[in-house]
Amino acid sequence: MNFYEWFFLEKDRPAAGLFSWSHLLTVTIILGGLLVLAFFLAKKFKDNPKGQRIVLITSAASIVALYLMKIIFLLLTTDDVRNTLLENIPLFFCDAMIFVAPIAAFSKGRVQEICLDFIAICGFIMGFMGNYFAGNIYGSHPAFCYLSLISAFDHSISAALALFIFVSHLNKMEKRNIPFTIGIIFVLTSITLVVDYTTGKNYMFLLRGDGTPFDIFFNLVNGNVILYQIIVYILHCGYIGLFYVIYYLIIKLINNKKKKEGTHE
């Protein structure tokens, strides 16, 4: 067996298994390394808009490149091109970065503000949930193989980009932008729902949980697909709304503390 067969084709290699030591070790090293790099770059380019834009462009390009690397490899190693394309449309929750990150990198003004807020809010959950609860990945592949590493780097870049935006203070988190930030995931989820019913696939896990934490909610409603889909919508949109609420509460506490400290001086 050569390296190509071992690493790329996963020949005679069992799946790592969700929460196995190889799964947790691999994603922790990649996620941790990229978060440290993001923090370092944010400090380095703190007052350097040009440097910040380069990081945004590089991150967006990397996310798109990883998707292309995956799809090209799958197309080269399959006999069913049509089904492979249908099974790998970028319509999972984490795939939103493929569309939003480039817009954030190349746009200006309010559009960029909305996209940067979306990345800052959703990047962390994409990075952590997408890495540590990816039963669909590590239940089918070894932890150290081409497709698993593509997934790990993809999700980790999203989290790292979110950290970079927060540390660099690029996120505005303005209340007027909340409907539009939530609207991004609402529209993507709605498009995905149509695609799921049209193709019979299960993007964004809108039809069933498929070994992810969504199974909890699917079982909670005893497999009632409509109720389950309503819950998924609430989870997607509610997460962003809850993030804003917690963010504003933290900011309020910080400001109140500063005021108290100021009165005691």
Side-chain angles (χ1 to χ4, degrees):
M1 184 190 307
N2 56 40
F3 180 76
Y4 175 77
E5 293 175 331
W6 182 83
F7 181 73
F8 289 90
L9 301 183
E10 308 165 28
K11 188 174 181 181
D12 299 328
R13 298 180 66 194
L18 186 65
F19 303 138
S20 64
W21 71 268
S22 57
H23 161 215
L24 296 178
L25 178 63
T26 301
V27 298
T28 299
I29 290 174
I30 294 173
L31 178 60
L34 288 179
L35 287 175
V36 170
L37 177 61
F39 185 83
F40 170 78
L41 291 175
K43 291 297 185 180
K44 179 179 177 62
F45 298 124
K46 184 178 180 180
D47 300 310
N48 185 345
K50 183 178 180 181
Q52 292 172 349
R53 184 169 287 273
I54 289 174
V55 173
L56 291 177
I57 292 173
T58 302
S59 299
S62 298
I63 291 171
V64 174
L66 285 168
Y67 170 74
L68 293 176
M69 288 168 62
K70 180 184 77 171
I71 198 68
I72 290 172
F73 170 75
L74 291 174
L75 289 174
L76 290 174
T77 55
T78 185
D79 295 324
D80 190 348
V81 172
R82 180 179 180 278
N83 191 57
T84 297
L85 288 173
L86 287 177
E87 288 183 344
N88 290 279
I89 302 172
L91 286 176
F92 284 108
F93 180 84
C94 300
D95 291 328
M97 287 298 184
I98 293 176
F99 310 106
V100 180
I103 296 174
F106 292 103
S107 63
K108 294 181 180 180
R110 193 174 178 186
V111 172
Q112 186 182 52
E113 290 178 6
I114 293 168
C115 290
L116 288 174
D117 282 357
F118 179 86
I119 295 171
I121 294 170
C122 295
F124 289 116
I125 194 170
M126 289 176 177
F128 286 93
M129 296 295 289
N131 270 322
Y132 289 103
F133 293 91
N136 56 321
I137 298 295
Y138 298 96
S140 305
H141 303 280
F144 189 80
C145 70
Y146 184 76
L147 292 176
S148 292
L149 290 180
I150 287 283
S151 174
F153 275 103
D154 179 35
H155 291 101
S156 297
I157 290 174
S158 295
L161 187 55
L163 180 63
F164 176 82
I165 290 170
F166 266 109
V167 177
S168 299
H169 302 295
L170 293 176
N171 56 308
K172 300 299 181 182
M173 305 295 282
E174 294 183 359
K175 293 181 180 180
R176 64 172 185 159
N177 290 333
I178 293 177
F180 299 98
T181 306
I182 296 176
I184 291 174
I185 199 61
F186 182 87
V187 170
L188 287 175
T189 303
S190 299
I191 292 172
T192 302
L193 186 61
V194 173
V195 172
D196 281 350
Y197 275 113
T198 303
T199 64
K201 303 303 178 183
N202 190 32
Y203 292 109
M204 282 199 187
F205 307 106
L206 282 164
L207 301 182
R208 56 191 177 276
D210 279 357
T212 69
F214 284 107
D215 273 333
I216 297 172
F217 302 99
F218 188 80
N219 295 330
L220 186 66
V221 295
N222 296 317
N224 185 306
V225 177
I226 301 301
L227 289 177
Y228 170 69
Q229 288 166 354
I230 292 173
I231 291 174
V232 174
Y233 266 90
I234 293 172
L235 289 172
H236 285 170
C237 299
Y239 165 75
I240 296 177
L242 180 62
F243 194 103
Y244 272 110
V245 170
I246 295 174
Y247 176 85
Y248 290 133
L249 286 175
I250 292 174
I251 294 299
K252 185 177 181 179
L253 289 172
I254 291 173
N255 290 335
N256 288 339
K257 185 178 180 181
K258 287 181 179 179
K259 287 181 181 178
K260 289 181 180 180
E261 291 176 350
T263 56
H264 291 302
E265 289 180 357

